[in-house]
Amino acid sequence: MSVVADARGTSEPGAPVKRDQWPLASVNFFMADFLAGIGPFLGVFLLAHGWQSGLIGTVMTIGGVAGMLMTIPAGAFIDATRHKRAAVIIPGIFTISASAIILLSQEFWVVATSQVATAIAGAVIGPSVNAMTLGIVKQAGFTRQNGINQAFNHAGNVVGAGLSGLLGWKFGYPAVFILAAVFGLLTIISVLTIPASDIDHDAARGAIDNNKNGKVSGFQVLLECKPLLVLAAALAAFHLGNAAMLPLYGMAVVSDGTINGPGFVAITIVVAQATMIVASIVAMRMAEAQGYWLVLLISFLALPLRGLIAGNLIVPWGVYPVQILDGVGAGLQSVAVPELVARILNGTGRINVGQGAVMTAQGIGAALSPAIGGWIAQVFGYEAMFYVLGGFALLSIGLWLAFASFLKPACAGNAGSETCADTSSANTGTESTTG
């Protein structure tokens, strides 16, 4: 493992290259707003153009399914490609263009097509940035650098949402797209400041630390890795309840027409993302000291409480406790999940496919969530819908506790602890990292 200078001028194995540490943080800061585009504002935007909650949930689900179907192929592509910077830049351009189409037409299939294109691009961009980070800092530096990245990403969401709410209130929804385009340009500039030669593509796929023979595991390692399977199932249940809660809570509060839509949605995002900044730093510290098991358990526990509060506080000021709990759950997971997947698949050469598999599981839950939540709200009301969505996390909590016996060692992340590369080392389905 190479020794590189860190930001303090010292040399440590796996520490970030000095010139890359802050460009990585900058990429995460600016990509937050342009990757989201109008996404958080889509519900109230369509509501203002005469759409019903059930149809809004359906079109969101269509985009979610498209993104879900792309995550594993995108992970395989990211593992294989040696052009990871381009894998951020090109889909980013398409994201901005696809979102802008909604301004021109609010026809169902136009909006649905835009959501599909945005979701596919998003399936590539986020994992590509994670792979770039791992390729630069290696396993030894990933926990800390990813914590920094996520803190900056949430800060970018705070700034982007605040500016979007202000500009949307004063100038309308087109201003939201212009802001996203500016953030997109700054993201591209930040990516280009990272020299391509600084990215170790074998390290980026987890093919070197435990695996010295230049081979990677077969794809079956994903099905044989029990911690990965339980993690994926727990996250699917969590996102089945979590994904739709923010847009539907915004719709519930603004549905009487007395609240400014863009301004209120901006507040929901700012409160959650500001909490996530703190949560991501806490998650980084907890992971370094205790591993990931408790971090993820706390994240799952936040959702049932959030659903209970949301169902009883459908008022403007209810956004604060509801979105603080969103920030706790999502902020902890934003750090713990990619780090845990990278840890347990280290040495397999399949880290990004594994990330894609976990994102697929999350996507299944997230894709179904808006449709389930939207139709429950339309038929039974918003209060019942929030209780049901919050209750899905009880499945996550049950899985996490039931399989704690092998999850805790996998989540500990101790040096020398068993990874899925160890359990798959006897397999013959391997391929060259250069193939």
Side-chain angles (χ1 to χ4, degrees), residues 16-387:
V17 178
K18 181 177 181 179
R19 64 174 176 263
D20 295 336
Q21 184 174 23
W22 298 115
L24 282 170
S26 178
V27 169
N28 279 271
F29 180 89
F30 290 117
M31 82 174 190
D33 186 72
F34 101 89
L35 190 57
I38 197 175
F41 296 85
L42 181 63
V44 294
F45 175 74
L46 295 177
L47 199 65
H49 284 79
W51 286 49
Q52 297 296 314
S53 62
L55 199 59
I56 293 173
T58 299
V59 79
M60 289 180 175
T61 293
I62 291 173
V65 170
M68 174 194 69
L69 294 175
M70 280 299 298
T71 51
I72 292 179
F77 167 75
I78 295 164
D79 275 335
T81 185
R82 307 186 88 81
H83 301 284
K84 292 180 174 61
R85 299 190 307 167
V88 177
I89 294 170
I90 295 174
I93 295 172
F94 281 100
T95 297
I96 298 171
S97 302
S99 295
I101 293 174
I102 300 176
L103 283 177
L104 303 178
S105 173
Q106 293 80 50
E107 293 294 325
F108 178 83
W109 290 112
V110 173
V111 176
T113 300
S114 170
Q115 290 302 289
V116 168
T118 301
I120 292 174
V124 178
I125 294 172
S128 295
V129 173
N130 283 339
M132 287 172 55
T133 302
L134 185 58
I136 291 170
V137 305
K138 315 299 192 296
Q139 282 285 338
F142 189 56
T143 295
R144 181 164 293 273
Q145 184 61 44
N146 186 52
I148 294 171
N149 286 357
Q150 294 304 320
F152 272 79
N153 185 267
H154 299 315
N157 272 307
V158 170
V159 173
L163 290 175
S164 294
L166 177 62
L167 295 174
W169 173 55
K170 285 187 170 293
F171 305 107
Y173 286 102
V176 176
F177 292 106
I178 294 174
L179 179 67
V182 171
F183 271 56
L185 176 61
L186 294 172
T187 301
I188 292 171
I189 293 172
S190 297
V191 170
L192 292 175
T193 62
I194 301 173
S197 59
D198 286 353
I199 303 172
D200 184 329
H201 296 284
D202 289 330
R205 70 186 300 181
I208 60 173
D209 281 358
N210 293 341
N211 194 341
K212 304 297 185 182
N213 61 3
K215 302 290 184 180
V216 299
S217 301
F219 287 107
Q220 69 267 26
V221 70
L222 304 181
L223 299 176
E224 296 169 350
C225 185
K226 292 181 180 178
L228 187 72
L229 294 176
V230 176
L231 174 66
L235 290 171
F238 177 87
H239 284 277
L240 183 62
N242 187 71
M245 199 167 287
L246 169 57
L248 290 173
Y249 188 76
M251 289 165 57
V253 175
V254 305
S255 59
D256 63 0
T258 61
I259 301 295
N260 175 265
F264 182 79
V265 173
I267 292 173
T268 67
I269 299 169
V270 168
V271 172
Q273 294 292 334
T275 306
M276 289 180 200
I277 296 173
V278 178
S280 61
I281 296 171
V282 170
M284 177 182 70
R285 299 294 187 184
M286 288 181 65
E288 289 177 333
Q290 304 176 29
Y292 309 103
W293 188 82
L294 182 59
V295 174
L296 286 167
L297 178 61
I298 294 172
S299 77
F300 297 146
L301 289 168
L303 183 57
L305 180 59
R306 184 183 177 214
L308 184 63
I309 294 175
N312 285 280
L313 291 178
I314 305 179
V315 292
W317 62 267
V319 67
Y320 296 101
V322 169
Q323 289 306 97
I324 285 172
L325 287 169
D326 180 35
V328 171
L332 295 177
Q333 288 184 17
S334 70
V335 173
V337 172
E339 292 172 12
L340 179 55
V341 174
R343 174 70 66 177
I344 61 181
L345 290 179
N346 188 36
T348 67
R350 298 296 185 187
I351 284 179
N352 294 298
V353 177
Q355 300 280 14
V358 170
M359 288 178 64
T360 297
Q362 292 175 305
I364 291 172
L368 295 173
S369 183
I372 292 174
W375 288 111
I376 291 175
Q378 188 166 319
V379 176
F380 298 103
Y382 285 107
E383 181 178 348
M385 178 269 297
F386 288 127
Y387 294 153

Side-chain angles (χ1 to χ4, degrees), residues 391-412:
F392 285 126
L394 297 176
L395 298 174
S396 306
I397 296 167
L399 286 170
W400 210 243
L401 294 174
F403 295 99
S405 59
F406 64 78
L407 284 172
K408 285 185 176 180
C411 291

